[in-house]
Amino acid sequence: MSISAAFFAQAQDVSVIRNTVDLYSNAPNVGSAKFNAMAGSNGALGGDANSLLTNPAGLGVAISGEVSGTLSITSNKNTSSFAGSSYGYNINKGDLGNLGAVMTFQLMTESAWKFINIGVNYSNQNIDNYIETPGNSNLVYKFPDNSLSSFGRHAYDRYGYLSKTSFGVGANYNNSFYLGAGLNFFNSSIDQSDTAIFNSLANGSSEYFSKQNTPFYEKGNGFSASLGVIGKFGQNFRLGAALETPTFWNINRSYNFYNDPIYGDDYAVEDRKLTSPMKATVSAAFIASKSFALNVDYTLGLTKPKYKVYGDAETELNDFFKDNYKNLSEVKIGAEYRLKQFRLRGGYSYASSPFDALTIDRYTDSGGVSQEQYNNNLILNDRNALSLGLGYDFRSFYIDASYQNVTSKYANPFLYGMVDGNYEAGYYSPNRLISSDAYAVSDVKNVRNNFFITFGWKF
């Protein structure tokens, strides 16, 4: 499937596609240090407030109340390689990553219903991401006045946050069957820019350009609901299943625009409504004893992102996702081993690429243009995460720590933007513009090293 010129001209820049999939369609999955150490795999185990991140039926597994708070230290490094050179940039942040609480209510009756439990969970994720790509002196642009400038550098710059607050209830039937339901409320804040620098061949001076309709700022809020079940099979096995509705996003955005025939260079505001994919999760757990537990989760997206249509931009976005988006697929495996009061944990997760193969026109290192196909790795790609952790239980109090290493490699397209009688989608400086009907593409390696520490109290 090829990407049409009309799509990117109408739909602003690559950042819109990346953020739609990477942020709005992927709920924050930052939990407690225990949850993160087990790669977020707890769908059939449950027992704490982080069940609301996977399967709310896990709330019904809890037999005591609990409150916990998690501090996160995240390190996000992008290395972008282009035309034989590389730039690396690292962002380090410390933040409140998770708060969770479960209140248990034991039913003192003859009924087979043992517990009705209430849970609340707050998950917060920093989304700062900076990708700077080095220049290429062979890539030269000729302006209408016949002056020449070579490509100096490009940068995607994003900062903000994404949070999820969940409320849920779980029930325990005869210590063998568990039901749960949750309501999820999302908030987001995104500042995004897309810029390029070109250097004059005449005097070496640098000129700064911004992509049409950037920088932009978005403030969003969304809502989803989830249902789940867990069943015991003997003393050692559990199976779980959960369904989360699409997230219904309301997004308020403002953006800069350039070269308008009436308003010139100015800014505008608009609203967008986005429906993110519905998701289903199936889980299996093996509990050998009180000392060892293993859990596997598999999550599948059942639908695709879809914008409410207000104009051509949303239509083109929806057409792109309809033709090129692959439903989310993620596997998570986590284990815990208990040695007296010590806890040892580990996990691994794999998320598949969200896009099919795409073919585009791209600039070669020599400055020419060729057509190239990218097999599932353009804009975003699959993601691998390896995690480990340990904890100590003081009976009423506990402390947990964990480490995550998350890696992904993908092809990063930029610099495309047509300016003709139909479109104004190029890169603009205060004095002139750049129109390009091909992409420059860098190779990006993303590495995230995350540390978490949780303090908790059981009652």
Side-chain angles (χ1 to χ4, degrees):
M1 180 67 64
S2 63
I3 301 178
S4 68
F7 170 73
F8 281 111
Q10 295 281 76
Q12 298 169 29
D13 74 322
V14 172
S15 302
V16 176
I17 301 171
R18 182 178 285 131
N19 292 344
T20 299
V21 176
D22 191 35
L23 300 181
Y24 293 121
S25 298
N26 263 334
N29 209 29
V30 177
S32 67
K34 174 185 176 181
F35 179 87
N36 299 328
M38 297 175 66
S41 178
N42 73 346
L45 288 176
D48 59 29
N50 284 168
S51 299
L52 288 165
L53 294 174
T54 50
N55 184 349
L59 293 174
V61 178
I63 58 174
S64 63
E66 180 179 340
V67 176
S68 70
T70 301
L71 300 177
S72 65
I73 300 174
T74 59
S75 174
N76 181 22
K77 182 177 182 180
N78 286 307
T79 302
S80 183
S81 301
F82 181 67
S85 299
S86 297
Y87 281 168
Y89 194 88
N90 194 63
I91 300 175
N92 299 312
K93 290 284 185 177
D95 212 339
L96 176 66
N98 188 262
L99 291 173
V102 175
M103 293 177 288
T104 60
F105 300 91
Q106 187 171 6
L107 304 179
M108 309 301 291
T109 67
E110 298 298 324
S111 168
W113 294 100
K114 304 297 183 183
F115 284 90
I116 298 291
N117 302 331
I118 297 173
V120 59
N121 192 80
Y122 169 77
S123 182
N124 180 59
Q125 178 180 340
N126 177 276
I127 60 172
D128 292 8
N129 196 48
Y130 183 73
I131 308 169
E132 183 172 348
T133 300
N136 179 4
S137 59
N138 293 326
L139 188 53
V140 176
Y141 188 80
K142 184 177 181 179
F143 292 95
D145 62 2
N146 292 322
S147 63
L148 302 174
S149 291
S150 64
F151 172 57
R153 76 105 172 107
H154 177 271
Y156 286 117
D157 190 6
R158 181 185 74 198
Y159 62 94
Y161 69 87
L162 181 65
S163 69
K164 178 181 181 181
T165 304
S166 302
F167 303 90
V169 59
N172 175 338
Y173 183 82
N174 203 33
N175 295 318
S176 60
F177 184 72
Y178 309 90
L179 293 170
L183 298 176
N184 310 299
F185 301 91
F186 300 84
N187 286 280
S188 67
S189 176
I190 301 172
D191 271 292
Q192 179 80 56
S193 65
D194 178 345
T195 59
I197 290 177
F198 277 75
N199 301 318
S200 171
L201 297 187
N203 57 27
S205 63
S206 297
E207 192 168 6
Y208 185 95
F209 294 81
S210 289
K211 182 75 167 68
Q212 178 69 283
N213 298 329
T214 70
F216 63 80
Y217 171 72
E218 294 183 344
K219 191 80 172 178
N221 60 82
F223 166 83
S224 74
S226 54
L227 296 170
V229 296
I230 297 174
K232 275 187 177 181
F233 296 85
Q235 294 298 313
N236 303 112
F237 293 95
R238 296 180 191 173
L239 295 177
L243 183 69
E244 183 175 352
T245 69
T247 301
F248 302 98
W249 284 98
N250 293 302
I251 303 169
N252 301 312
R253 54 185 272 121
S254 61
Y255 58 91
N256 288 18
F257 62 83
Y258 310 95
N259 208 39
D260 185 86
I262 298 176
Y263 301 102
D265 296 350
D266 208 338
Y267 76 95
V269 297
E270 66 181 14
D271 294 332
R272 276 183 173 167
K273 294 184 183 296
L274 169 66
T275 302
S276 74
M278 176 184 291
K279 301 172 185 176
T281 300
V282 293
S283 309
F286 173 65
I287 305 171
S289 64
K290 291 184 177 181
S291 298
F292 179 76
L294 174 70
N295 188 91
V296 179
D297 291 342
Y298 175 71
T299 299
L300 178 65
L302 304 179
T303 58
K304 299 182 178 185
K306 186 175 183 180
Y307 283 90
K308 182 177 179 179
V309 175
Y310 293 103
D312 292 339
E314 291 84 12
T315 298
E316 296 288 349
L317 279 166
N318 290 339
D319 288 345
F320 175 81
F321 290 123
K322 180 181 178 181
D323 294 337
N324 302 297
Y325 179 83
K326 293 195 306 183
N327 289 353
L328 172 129
S329 178
E330 184 173 13
V331 177
K332 298 180 289 186
I333 303 171
E336 179 185 63
Y337 178 73
R338 298 184 179 186
L339 181 64
K340 295 183 178 179
Q341 290 174 275
F342 287 96
R343 309 288 186 259
L344 302 176
R345 304 179 180 110
Y348 171 77
S349 71
Y350 171 80
S352 64
S353 170
F355 297 120
D356 289 319
L358 295 166
T359 301
I360 61 173
D361 290 332
R362 62 160 293 177
Y363 292 109
T364 64
D365 290 351
S366 63
V369 176
S370 67
Q371 193 173 83
E372 186 163 340
Q373 180 175 338
Y374 292 86
N375 294 320
N376 310 321
N377 68 332
L378 189 68
I379 305 176
L380 291 168
N381 198 4
D382 54 8
R383 184 184 71 247
N384 292 272
L386 185 65
S387 55
L388 54 89
L390 52 85
Y392 190 84
D393 191 345
F394 297 92
R395 302 202 183 276
S396 292
F397 295 91
Y398 64 87
I399 182 171
D400 296 321
S402 64
Y403 163 74
Q404 279 184 336
N405 175 258
V406 186
T407 59
S408 183
K409 296 180 181 180
Y410 57 90
N412 176 49
F414 56 93
L415 215 58
Y416 176 94
M418 289 294 295
V419 179
D420 56 28
N422 298 313
Y423 306 115
E424 281 282 352
Y427 282 75
Y428 298 80
S429 78
N431 302 311
R432 50 188 180 175
L433 59 88
I434 288 176
S435 176
S436 173
D437 58 1
Y439 291 91
V441 182
S442 68
D443 295 317
V444 173
K445 180 179 180 181
N446 176 250
V447 179
R448 302 183 185 188
N449 292 297
N450 303 325
F451 300 86
F452 306 92
I453 185 167
T454 297
F455 300 91
W457 174 49
K458 297 179 180 179
F459 54 91

